[in-house]
Amino acid sequence: MIDIRGLTWRFDGAPRPALQEITLRIEPGELVVISGPSGCGKSTLALAMGGYLFQQYHGQAEGSVEVGGLDVRQVPIYRAAEIVGLVQQNPENQFCTLNVMDELAFALENRRYPPAEIRQQIAWALEVVGAAHLRDRALATLSGGEKQKVAIASMLVGRPQVLILDEPTSSLDPAATRAVLEAIGRLRQEAGLTVVIIEHKTAYLEPLRPRRILMREGRIVPGGGAAALRAEVAWPPARPPAARAPGAEPLVRVEGLSFAHGEAPVLREVSLAVYPGELVAVMGRNGSGKTTLLRCLLGLAKPTAGEVRVAGRDVRRTPVSTLARDVGLIFQNPDHQIFADSVWAEAVFAPYNLGLADGADARAEALLADYGLLPYRDQHPYRLSYGEKRRLNLAAVLSYAPPVLLLDEVLVGQDPANAAFLLGQLTQLAAAGRAIVHVTHDPLTTLRYADRLVFLDDGRVIVDDAPEAAFARLEATGYQPYLPLYDLPAGEG
């Protein structure tokens, strides 16, 4: 079904090829999982298999890529799209319309499907990914995980022969992850669908028995797989609970917070406190209000009821520009907070913009070196991989050392080694007195590194406790998909 021979690709202006002599054959109905360090060429290979690399990007190519008998280097994208469905790492990059129904109808209308068949296909695709309840929503109102579901459905709706998924579980909650992957497994059996999944976390894929491929520096590693990648990872030791100083005041205090989009409630009477030195994990279903909670803590979303105080300031009465001096927010989508035209300028943008430049250059340079980004210092941030952008986002915030950190899925896009490194960084930051609120879908890192787990469902806090006790309560109340699946030394992280 997919036959790649001697593929080499260099982006214009890049110092080295992104792909080097890739030869790969994937049979009809096969499931292949591709893993590898951030920036090793996985997403570029996905773009090549879909034909997008050769039609929408500037660079030099050698070798051949055939999918379903088509030479995707030569045929128009609309022709390749009849066979290949590509779900990109950032779902917003592939949206063409403004609401869910239009997004799913877009490709079918272009192919002149009858209206009745379009409606039938849309209903089927939304049901497959568990998103039928989203059919009338505007895309801008969806959570990151909900957008990911819609992006997958928008590719399934055309019934492709090949489905390529670039980190499809990155923003999905554990229950949605299992449901979507089980549905893809059924489609393979029922329709002979060929599936290629680019993924760092592969524990959920084990029941599907995939063929594993490991990439490094643009090449396929012979005989490689996830086991070879995780064997090199040194996870930081589990973090003991933070000791709260007697009489300490919380850096984050939330009492009775409610928030609504119009008449639709998103947060309902949320109360919590985060003290200096605490790392608090926030988990919950997609659309449960996790991202909205972070936005309320920085004043980007104003509460409709309740009180929020951060670093001693009332967020209702304090300008965001003032709050930002003490609060660093990492957005869920890394592209939403890139402001400069080079990696270096991005790393120092915030401290210079906020008047906090003292020592910022030295911190930025050390952070870029630690995060593996210093070689890209003069490149535009959009030339980075998704995982590299996430690390740049964090470096840009830490360059001015705010006492409160709000992190929205900061580990997304990180290979195991970088995930382990960042977790070590977060534990050190907490030990140094930062208050950290980390939205995550990873139960295991929560169990090992968080002081508390706050679990949201339908906008309400249903658990706020030490992780071990919190997971016990979740298990007792029917939230089994959100429990840790494995242990880090033997798993993928």
Side-chain angles (χ1 to χ4, degrees):
M1 179 57 71
I2 300 175
D3 191 5
I4 304 173
R5 299 184 182 183
L7 174 63
T8 294
W9 172 270
R10 183 193 296 270
F11 289 100
D12 283 352
R16 60 181 176 82
L19 299 174
Q20 302 186 60
E21 300 178 358
I22 298 289
T23 295
L24 175 64
R25 182 173 180 83
I26 299 174
E27 301 297 334
E30 192 174 9
L31 170 60
V32 172
V33 176
I34 302 175
S35 302
S38 298
C40 71
K42 303 183 300 296
S43 295
T44 304
L45 181 57
L47 291 169
M49 288 187 281
Y52 295 88
L53 185 64
F54 312 107
Q55 307 294 333
Q56 294 189 334
Y57 294 83
H58 298 291
Q60 300 81 50
E62 298 176 8
S64 64
V65 183
E66 291 189 2
V67 181
L70 289 180
D71 181 351
V72 297
R73 284 189 57 181
Q74 305 298 328
V75 300
I77 288 177
Y78 68 83
R79 180 72 181 91
E82 294 177 356
I83 295 177
V84 185
L86 171 62
V87 180
Q88 298 183 48
Q89 194 171 28
N90 183 349
E92 293 182 15
N93 288 349
Q94 68 186 75
F95 289 154
C96 302
T97 66
L98 298 178
N99 61 67
V100 172
M101 285 293 289
D102 286 349
E103 187 64 29
L104 269 68
F106 182 78
L108 301 183
E109 289 175 339
N110 283 335
R111 297 178 195 176
R112 299 185 178 182
Y113 278 48
E117 188 172 351
I118 290 175
R119 290 192 293 271
Q120 183 180 17
Q121 288 291 93
I122 289 175
W124 169 80
L126 288 174
E127 190 65 32
V128 165
V129 300
H133 62 293
L134 303 176
R135 58 179 292 133
D136 297 320
R137 293 275 298 276
L139 293 172
T141 68
L142 302 182
S143 71
E146 290 169 338
K147 289 176 182 175
Q148 206 157 33
K149 289 181 181 180
V150 172
I152 295 171
S154 72
M155 292 297 106
L156 287 175
V157 74
R159 304 272 186 167
Q161 299 175 42
V162 177
L163 182 63
I164 303 170
L165 303 162
D166 195 348
E167 296 208 43
T169 69
S170 59
S171 295
L172 295 181
D173 65 65
T177 294
R178 291 185 180 183
V180 168
L181 293 179
E182 287 173 0
I184 290 171
R186 289 195 301 272
L187 289 174
R188 283 183 62 219
Q189 294 179 346
E190 296 169 4
L193 182 67
T194 303
V195 182
V196 179
I197 299 179
I198 295 169
E199 185 61 86
H200 293 302
K201 296 181 179 180
T202 59
Y204 291 106
L205 293 165
E206 291 297 337
L208 302 180
R209 299 182 180 277
R211 172 158 67 107
R212 297 177 180 274
I213 292 173
L214 177 64
M215 289 185 65
R216 288 187 190 278
E217 297 181 349
R219 299 179 185 271
I220 291 177
V221 179
L229 186 64
R230 67 175 178 255
E232 305 170 1
V233 177
W235 294 96
R239 180 169 177 265
R244 187 179 302 170
E249 290 294 321
L251 279 170
V252 176
R253 183 187 293 279
V254 180
E255 296 181 356
L257 166 63
S258 294
F259 178 84
H261 283 301
E263 297 182 358
V266 180
L267 295 173
R268 308 166 190 258
E269 300 179 354
V270 170
S271 296
L272 61 90
V274 185
Y275 288 81
E278 281 193 321
L279 196 166
V280 174
V282 180
M283 294 179 61
R285 292 189 173 102
N286 294 130
S288 61
K290 303 182 297 297
T291 294
T292 300
L293 173 61
L294 295 192
R295 291 173 57 84
C296 287
L297 295 183
L298 186 53
L300 296 174
K302 300 299 183 183
T304 52
E307 183 180 17
V308 180
R309 300 188 71 85
V310 179
R313 296 185 175 95
D314 185 341
V315 301
R316 286 178 179 272
R317 298 175 174 83
T318 308
V320 173
S321 58
T322 300
L323 288 169
R325 295 170 180 267
D326 294 314
V327 183
L329 170 63
I330 305 297
F331 288 18
Q332 190 174 39
N333 186 333
D335 292 342
H336 289 178
Q337 62 186 110
I338 289 176
F339 305 99
D341 58 5
S342 75
V343 168
W344 175 255
E346 182 66 28
V348 298
F349 177 86
Y352 278 86
N353 191 50
L354 295 170
L356 301 171
D358 188 28
D361 284 12
R363 283 193 296 271
E365 184 151 6
L367 286 161
L368 292 180
D370 287 344
Y371 293 179
L373 300 176
L374 202 54
Y376 310 116
R377 119 178 231 144
D378 297 324
Q379 290 194 25
H380 197 288
Y382 285 126
R383 297 291 295 270
L384 301 179
S385 72
Y386 193 93
E388 289 166 340
K389 290 177 187 174
R390 298 299 282 162
R391 299 201 296 277
L392 178 59
N393 294 156
L394 185 57
V397 165
L398 293 180
S399 65
Y400 71 96
V404 179
L405 295 174
L406 311 176
L407 310 177
D408 201 345
E409 300 189 43
V410 74
L411 299 181
V412 168
Q414 305 306 318
D415 59 76
N418 277 308
F421 174 76
L422 290 182
L423 286 166
Q425 291 275 291
L426 296 184
T427 59
Q428 291 176 24
L429 290 166
R434 303 284 201 283
I436 303 174
V437 181
H438 180 205
V439 169
T440 180
H441 288 304
D442 191 335
L444 183 59
T445 57
T446 295
L447 178 63
R448 289 176 62 96
Y449 303 112
D451 293 293
R452 296 208 325 276
L453 167 58
V454 174
F455 194 95
L456 294 177
D457 197 2
D458 196 25
R460 299 182 188 277
V461 174
I462 63 169
V463 173
D464 181 354
D465 209 336
E468 189 169 349
F471 283 122
R473 290 176 59 187
L474 290 173
E475 184 174 21
T477 50
Y479 290 87
Q480 279 80 5
Y482 300 88
L483 305 179
L485 286 178
Y486 47 84
D487 194 12
L488 278 175
E492 287 88 357

